[in-house]
Amino acid sequence: MSKINSAIYEIHHLEKLASRDQWVNQIHPLVKLCLTILYIAMVVSYSKYDLIGLAAMGVYLFISFQLAELSFKDALWRLRVVLPIVCAVGIVNPFFDRIPVEIGGLHLNAGVLSMLTLMMKGSFAVLASYILIATTTIESICYALRLLHVPTILVTQILLTYRYITLLLEEVNRITQAYALRAPNQKGVHFKVWGSLTGQLLLRSIDRANDVFESMTLRGYRGEFKYVGEKHRMRRTDLLYFAVWGLLFGLFRRIPVILVLGNLVGGIFA
């Protein structure tokens, strides 16, 4: 399978995950969107040396993966390009922050500690976003954005970009396959034809965009979509779901839960 076909498959697979009839998938999209934003804000608010306190926020990811029946291994595979970039943000910290610190009886360089904390923050934020995408369709996410009064033009841009990125990838696949048939002994696309192939892709994309817009207009589009999520009303269980996680986030933020549990278990077995 080529890289383009693999990318198309991954997009369709995420759509299938988001369309499943799971309990988490049925939660109101506004609740899941606000909860994800709150979670990322809480994760980012931790001190750059508070590695143990930050680790407690992983409880949300673990439970969410279990409730949604998502594979953590598959998530890491799909995020294999993003996660290394996120983790590389703090890779230079050990060279600039050399203050010795002690954590859990271990003596570490403060730069190493801050690097690990930044890596954990980035990983947690990306995984939380993945949970949102894997349990909520793009239409429902856009509906939640409109409920938050995000401008219509931005929401429409997000929806159409996500919805028709597969069409663009399919056009790229057709062009590369046609080029490969005309140059069977050549590996890849020669740089001399990059400009002409890109121009052909642009012209085909414009033609396809016109066809899509005409189809939308014939179906009654006048600048605002009628989202499927509009039929999804807020329930008490949705509010309870948000309230429980919100309280737990606040608890994890104020109290070093892992240290408390560690001291408690250590005292029991002492």
Side-chain angles (χ1 to χ4, degrees):
M1 183 181 295
S2 66
K3 292 183 179 180
I4 298 176
N5 288 329
S6 178
I8 295 174
Y9 169 79
E10 292 294 339
I11 293 174
H12 288 318
H13 186 72
L14 277 177
E15 291 179 351
K16 290 181 180 180
L17 288 177
S19 301
R20 292 181 306 165
D21 191 19
Q22 297 288 342
W23 178 76
V24 177
N25 294 50
Q26 301 303 318
I27 296 175
H28 197 279
L30 180 61
V31 170
K32 288 186 283 187
L33 177 62
C34 292
L35 188 62
T36 302
I37 295 173
L38 176 63
Y39 177 81
I40 294 176
M42 285 288 188
V43 167
V44 174
S45 68
Y46 277 85
S47 168
K48 63 179 181 178
Y49 300 125
D50 193 4
L51 180 64
I52 295 180
L54 177 61
M57 297 296 288
V59 173
Y60 169 74
L61 301 177
F62 176 78
I63 295 179
S64 296
F65 268 95
Q66 298 302 316
L67 291 176
E69 297 183 5
L70 297 173
S71 172
F72 185 74
K73 180 180 179 181
D74 290 344
L76 293 179
W77 173 252
R78 292 191 177 91
L79 300 173
R80 61 189 180 278
V81 177
V82 180
L83 285 176
I85 297 175
V86 171
C87 292
V89 173
I91 201 168
V92 297
N93 285 24
F95 300 101
F96 295 98
D97 194 353
R98 299 177 176 274
I99 302 174
V101 294
E102 182 178 352
I103 175 173
L106 296 176
H107 295 277
L108 297 175
N109 188 321
V112 174
L113 184 60
S114 63
M115 178 188 69
L116 294 176
T117 304
L118 285 174
M119 288 181 175
M120 187 176 291
K121 285 182 178 181
S123 300
F124 281 5
V126 172
L127 289 173
S129 301
Y130 174 81
I131 292 173
L132 174 65
I133 296 173
T135 58
T136 316
T137 61
I138 187 62
E139 290 85 1
S140 297
I141 294 176
C142 290
Y143 171 58
L145 291 174
R146 289 298 296 135
L147 292 178
L148 295 176
H149 299 288
V150 176
T152 305
I153 188 172
L154 294 180
V155 177
T156 302
Q157 188 69 32
I158 293 172
L159 176 61
L160 294 181
T161 300
Y162 185 90
R163 177 57 59 199
Y164 295 107
I165 189 66
T166 53
L167 296 181
L168 178 62
L169 292 175
E170 289 173 357
E171 290 293 341
V172 174
N173 195 32
R174 292 191 188 98
I175 292 175
T176 54
Q177 285 181 351
Y179 178 84
L181 291 174
R182 288 167 174 79
N185 297 324
Q186 183 173 317
K187 184 177 181 181
V189 179
H190 198 275
F191 73 93
K192 290 183 179 180
V193 297
W194 286 0
S196 59
L197 292 184
T198 304
Q200 292 181 24
L201 176 62
L202 177 61
L203 294 176
R204 290 192 180 190
S205 300
I206 294 174
D207 291 339
R208 182 60 67 89
N210 288 331
D211 294 339
V212 170
F213 180 74
E214 290 176 358
S215 300
M216 292 165 53
T217 303
L218 291 174
R219 288 170 174 79
Y221 175 74
R222 295 296 182 271
E224 180 70 65
F225 285 101
K226 297 296 182 181
Y227 298 103
V228 179
E230 294 180 9
K231 300 178 181 179
H232 195 167
R233 295 184 177 182
M234 189 80 68
R235 301 169 299 178
R236 292 183 179 179
T237 53
D238 299 332
L239 297 175
L240 180 62
Y241 182 81
F242 181 85
V244 169
W245 278 118
L247 290 174
L248 288 176
F249 292 164
L251 177 65
F252 295 157
R253 187 65 183 85
R254 297 294 298 274
I255 301 174
V257 178
I258 293 182
L259 284 179
V260 173
L261 291 177
N263 293 333
L264 180 61
V265 173
I268 292 176
F269 291 98

